[in-house]
Amino acid sequence: MAPRGYLKFIQADGFDINYTGSEANVCVSLCSFGLAADFVTKLPKNDISAACLATMRKFGVGVDKIVYGGDRLGSYYLERGASQRPSKVIYDRKYSSISMAGPADFDWDTIFADAGWFHFTGINPALGGEMARISLDACKAARQSGLTVSCDLNYRKNLWSTEEAREIMPELVRRCDLLIGNEEDAEKCLGLSPEGTDVVAGRLNREGYAKLAATISERFEIPQVAFTLRTSRSASDNNWAGMLYSGGNAYFSKAYDIHMVDRVGGGDSFSAGLIYALVQGYDPQEAIEFAVAASCLKQTMEYDFNLATAEDVRQLMGGDGSGRVQR
């Protein structure tokens, strides 16, 4: 829920509603690219959940593997920033159905029966309760079923502490084939940072990111590691790029200057773009270029979903970033 436009919470007398979530964002983006994706979660059985499911179905996301129980759909409030004023998020997720879920709620062998890829984020184990164990069960079952497993670290300081994240995430990360994040995620979840980088001052050291990715790949036995590279000149204007470490080499994308419309979901669209590109057999350089171009386009769109098609992304990859009217 968000105040309209750029109103602060204290100014708002109403909220725009958007049904979203990190993994849901990835699913919608993959469906927009033409792949099939199913969203797995636990929801209360009520009309609010029905509205959420209607949104997922609208964009082609499968919802048949969702389980039901509990009383609440987790929510959060977003105050969008502008220029030098940052965005703010307030979570209202305690006692949500998914945070109260138990391992017996999910039959992973059935869920993964026809799947080829499993993606999750660090937000899930951060919800507390049994979610860390459920996330680990899912990773183990996915690997046993021969799925490719990817994780976006997605550290959220308002959900758990650095100490909690470092205790739980390494065991999950070791089950991954692809790890995605940024410099803060790596530091908060794994205790590792890129050398020579100061994101507040706007200094990103490519060699430091490449060395960090190599360290993570070796330490956790992960074949591929990807980072988003964001330089925030303000809440309204960002420089956006990415890196994929694969086969012992670091591949960097071109950079885009983005005048932000809505940055929430930018990382999710990066994950989806990378997953799509790797599923399609793109080489590492093409894959990181596709992921960054996809997430660039998302941040020009209202709300959290990336509704760009694969052709839209390839057009931007080809150099057409003029924004001219298409007639």
Side-chain angles (χ1 to χ4, degrees), residues 86-98:
S87 298
K88 295 181 181 179
V89 169
I90 298 173
Y91 290 109
D92 182 16
R93 309 188 72 161
K94 197 170 185 179
Y95 305 122
S96 66
S97 292
I98 186 64

Side-chain angles (χ1 to χ4, degrees), residues 53-228:
L53 296 182
T55 300
M56 294 294 100
R57 291 190 183 100
K58 174 182 178 180
F59 296 109
V61 177
V63 296
D64 293 341
K65 296 178 172 64
I66 290 174
V67 299
Y68 297 92
D71 301 315
R72 296 194 64 219
L73 179 68
S75 63
Y76 75 89
Y77 299 84
L78 170 68
E79 178 184 286
R80 290 200 295 177
S83 193
Q84 280 67 46
R85 177 169 61 88
S87 298
K88 295 181 181 179
V89 169
I90 298 173
Y91 290 109
D92 182 16
R93 309 188 72 161
K94 197 170 185 179
Y95 305 122
S96 66
S97 292
I98 186 64
S99 70
M100 303 294 288
D105 286 325
F106 301 97
D107 180 353
W108 294 112
D109 290 338
T110 299
I111 290 170
F112 292 143
D114 299 315
W117 194 296
F118 171 58
H119 177 76
F120 73 103
T121 79
I123 294 173
N124 286 306
L127 296 177
E130 296 283 345
M131 284 307 299
R133 179 184 167 184
I134 291 170
S135 299
L136 183 59
D137 288 348
C139 288
K140 290 179 178 178
R143 294 298 291 269
Q144 290 170 358
S145 296
L147 277 66
T148 301
V149 179
S150 60
C151 172
D152 183 346
L153 288 170
N154 257 355
Y155 177 76
R156 296 293 184 264
K157 66 180 181 180
N158 290 340
L159 290 179
W160 62 351
S161 67
T162 299
E163 291 75 21
E164 290 172 311
R166 290 180 182 176
E167 180 181 352
I168 291 172
M169 289 308 298
E171 189 173 8
L172 295 172
V173 165
R174 288 188 180 92
R175 269 91 180 169
C176 294
D177 302 287
L178 169 65
L179 185 67
I180 302 165
N182 60 25
E183 65 291 323
E184 180 186 19
D185 295 330
E187 194 277 324
K188 299 298 186 183
C189 294
L190 306 176
L192 300 169
S193 302
E195 297 176 357
T197 287
D198 184 340
V199 293
V200 176
R203 295 193 302 270
L204 303 184
N205 178 19
R206 286 191 169 198
E207 292 182 2
Y209 280 95
K211 184 176 179 180
L212 173 60
T215 298
I216 292 173
S217 178
E218 180 179 355
R219 183 173 300 183
F220 297 99
E221 299 182 348
I222 304 173
Q224 295 181 304
V225 178
F227 292 122
T228 56

